[in-house]
């Protein structure tokens, strides 16, 4: 398949564009072509030559490309494609970004505004370089807007006892479940259900075993220096739970919002303020006795030591 992306431009070669599916695949997966248009042909025979062998990769790997060239091969119609890759630490491609409806509308408005500004330049484009420059400016506008949106960071739960064996069992369980759900024949479906349930039970049991073994190892590490450390306190029930001050209802029917308000409300309920207007006759008599008491007859004599 010939195409001007990886070979010289040849006019009126074929009526049908056979390279269109491959070009669509390259654009869809954000791949970079390493081929040099001015290189030697990658395929040569007595009847002709062509540029049909392609080298492509992701953008991260393409930045490390070094010395890509075509070397003639005397033992085959296809020539050698020789290249070097600069040493680098392998990293995954950045994850795809998904935008919500509001963000898409914002991008569309910005692109529309930028397109109106660059619309006059379209009339002056008369070469491939100018068109690529115009597309690059529009692409930079889209990238700047998309990078301004906040990114959601999803934190996945990690446990110390998860390993490759559990991963294999999980994949096997999911595969058996999928086979069971896709089956339509009743006899075979019942058999697959039994196989799936057995594997699911084994998978759950395996998880408990791994979790238990990890906890036992954790306890052994804790009691290595002190036997009466955390595991002993947990078994003996000597771990005090942290006091949690809950919200309480005040006298006006509302709930408290802070710990200080909660403490103050509880103290006022347990130790109310004296109000002489609400006292009973007995309480009033005791108060008067205490206030008017001035005799020292009932005082005990001091003893000599």
């Amino acid at each position: 398949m010939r195409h001007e992306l990886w070979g010289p431009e040849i006019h009126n070669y074929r009526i049908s564009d056979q390279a269109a599916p491959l070009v669509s695949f390259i654009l869809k997966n954000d791949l970079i072509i390493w081929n040099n248009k001015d290189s030697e042909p990658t395929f040569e025979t007595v009847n002709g030559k062509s540029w049909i062998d392609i080298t492509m990769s992701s953008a991260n790997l393409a930045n490390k490309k070094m010395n890509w060239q075509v070397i003639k091969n005397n033992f085959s119609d296809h020539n050698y494609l020789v290249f070097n890759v600069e040493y680098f630490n392998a990293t995954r491609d950045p994850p795809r970004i998904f935008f919500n409806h509001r963000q898409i509308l914002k991008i569309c408005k910005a692109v529309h505004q930028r397109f109106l500004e660059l619309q006059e330049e379209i009339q002056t484009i008369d070469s491939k370089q100018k068109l690529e420059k115009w597309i690059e400016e529009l692409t930079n506008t889209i990238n700047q807007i998309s990078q301004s949106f906040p990114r959601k960071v999803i934190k996945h739960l990690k446990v110390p006892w998860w390993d490759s064996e559990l991963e294999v069992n999980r994949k096997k369980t999911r595969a058996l479940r999928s086979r069971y759900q896709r089956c339509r024949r009743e006899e075979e479906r019942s058999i697959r259900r039994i196989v799936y349930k057995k594997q699911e039970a084994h998978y759950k049991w395996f998880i408990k075993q791994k979790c238990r073994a990890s906890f036992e190892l954790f306890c052994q590490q804790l009691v290595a220096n002190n036997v009466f450390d955390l595991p002993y306190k947990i078994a003996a029930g000597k771990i005090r739970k942290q006091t949690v001050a809950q919200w309480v209802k005040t006298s006006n029917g509302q709930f408290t919002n802070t710990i200080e308000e909660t403490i103050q409300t509880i103290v006022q309920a347990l130790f109310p303020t004296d109000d002489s207007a609400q006292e009973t006759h007995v309480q009033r008599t005791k108060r008067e006795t205490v206030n008017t008491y001035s005799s020292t007859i009932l005082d005990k004599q001091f003893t000599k030591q």
Side-chain angles (χ1 to χ4, degrees):
M1 294 179 291
R2 294 187 180 184
H3 198 275
E4 59 183 6
L5 289 177
W6 54 81
E9 186 176 359
I10 301 177
H11 298 283
N12 300 326
Y13 173 65
R14 286 177 181 171
I15 299 176
S16 60
D17 189 4
Q18 295 184 353
L22 180 58
V23 174
S24 300
F25 174 81
I26 293 172
L27 296 176
K28 181 180 179 181
N29 295 275
D30 299 330
L31 300 177
I32 305 298
I33 299 174
W34 290 23
N35 293 52
N36 185 4
K37 299 179 182 179
D38 301 328
S39 66
E40 296 291 332
T42 61
F43 179 80
E44 287 185 286
T45 62
V46 180
N47 299 325
K49 58 184 179 180
S50 179
W51 289 259
I52 59 176
D53 297 325
I54 310 169
T55 306
M56 65 183 78
S57 69
S58 62
N60 291 338
L61 186 59
N63 294 331
K64 308 299 179 181
K65 177 186 69 174
M66 297 176 60
N67 303 328
W68 185 95
Q69 57 182 338
V70 179
I71 299 178
K72 290 189 177 182
N73 181 14
N74 297 327
F75 302 99
S76 175
D77 297 335
H78 294 269
N79 293 328
Y80 293 115
L81 302 182
V82 181
F83 56 88
N84 295 327
V85 178
E86 182 182 354
Y87 174 78
F88 68 101
N89 294 326
T91 56
R92 291 185 177 181
D93 294 336
R96 292 183 175 270
I97 302 174
F98 298 94
F99 302 105
N100 55 35
H101 183 67
R102 180 184 60 81
Q103 293 173 341
I104 293 175
L105 288 178
K106 186 175 180 180
I107 293 175
C108 292
K109 291 180 181 179
V111 171
H112 176 69
Q113 183 65 28
R114 185 61 176 169
F115 183 81
L116 294 177
E117 297 175 0
L118 301 176
Q119 190 173 8
E120 297 180 357
E121 298 182 7
I122 299 179
Q123 307 298 331
T124 61
I125 294 177
D126 54 0
S127 63
K128 185 177 180 180
Q129 289 75 13
K130 291 183 179 180
L131 179 60
E132 290 179 351
K133 182 179 179 181
W134 187 88
I135 295 174
E136 184 178 359
E137 292 180 358
L138 191 62
T139 304
N140 291 335
T141 302
I142 298 175
N143 291 333
Q144 290 176 0
I145 299 172
S146 61
Q147 291 175 0
S148 63
F149 297 142
R151 298 286 185 266
K152 291 184 178 180
V153 179
I154 302 176
K155 296 183 179 180
H156 298 281
L157 179 63
K158 295 182 179 180
V159 290
W161 43 266
W162 189 268
D163 55 9
S164 58
E165 292 181 350
L166 286 173
E167 186 70 24
V168 171
N169 274 268
R170 181 173 65 178
K171 291 181 179 179
K172 184 177 180 180
T173 304
R174 290 179 176 178
L176 292 175
R177 181 184 62 185
S178 178
R179 293 176 185 175
Y180 155 65
Q181 292 176 347
R182 289 199 307 265
C183 186
R184 293 293 178 266
R185 291 186 296 178
E186 292 297 332
E187 296 180 357
E188 186 177 357
R189 183 181 176 85
S190 60
I191 296 175
R192 291 190 176 185
R193 184 179 184 278
I194 295 173
V195 175
Y196 159 63
K197 288 297 182 181
K198 288 183 178 180
Q199 174 60 30
E200 184 184 26
H202 174 73
Y203 172 57
K204 291 181 179 180
W205 172 83
F206 204 28
I207 289 178
K208 291 182 180 180
Q209 292 295 320
K210 290 287 185 179
C211 181
R212 179 71 181 182
S214 177
F215 180 72
E216 290 179 354
L217 179 61
F218 172 71
C219 293
Q220 291 176 3
Q221 294 175 352
L222 285 179
V223 301
N225 298 325
N226 185 7
V227 179
F228 298 97
D229 205 351
L230 182 61
Y232 173 79
K233 293 180 180 179
I234 294 176
K238 295 183 178 180
I239 299 296
R240 291 186 178 181
K241 296 183 179 180
Q242 185 178 3
T243 304
V244 179
Q246 299 181 353
W247 314 132
V248 296
K249 185 182 292 185
T250 59
S251 58
N252 55 5
Q254 298 180 354
F255 288 93
T256 57
N257 297 323
T258 61
I259 297 178
E260 289 77 8
E261 293 181 1
T262 302
I263 295 174
Q264 186 176 2
T265 303
I266 294 174
V267 170
Q268 289 180 356
L270 296 177
F271 306 98
T273 305
D274 292 338
D275 188 1
S276 58
Q278 298 180 357
E279 291 179 350
T280 62
H281 177 71
V282 177
Q283 293 174 343
R284 191 178 300 108
T285 303
K286 290 183 178 181
R287 180 185 293 275
E288 292 176 355
T289 303
V290 172
N291 293 333
T292 58
Y293 178 77
S294 60
S295 177
T296 59
I297 299 174
L298 300 178
D299 293 342
K300 294 183 179 180
Q301 298 294 329
F302 289 100
T303 58
K304 296 181 180 181
Q305 298 293 337

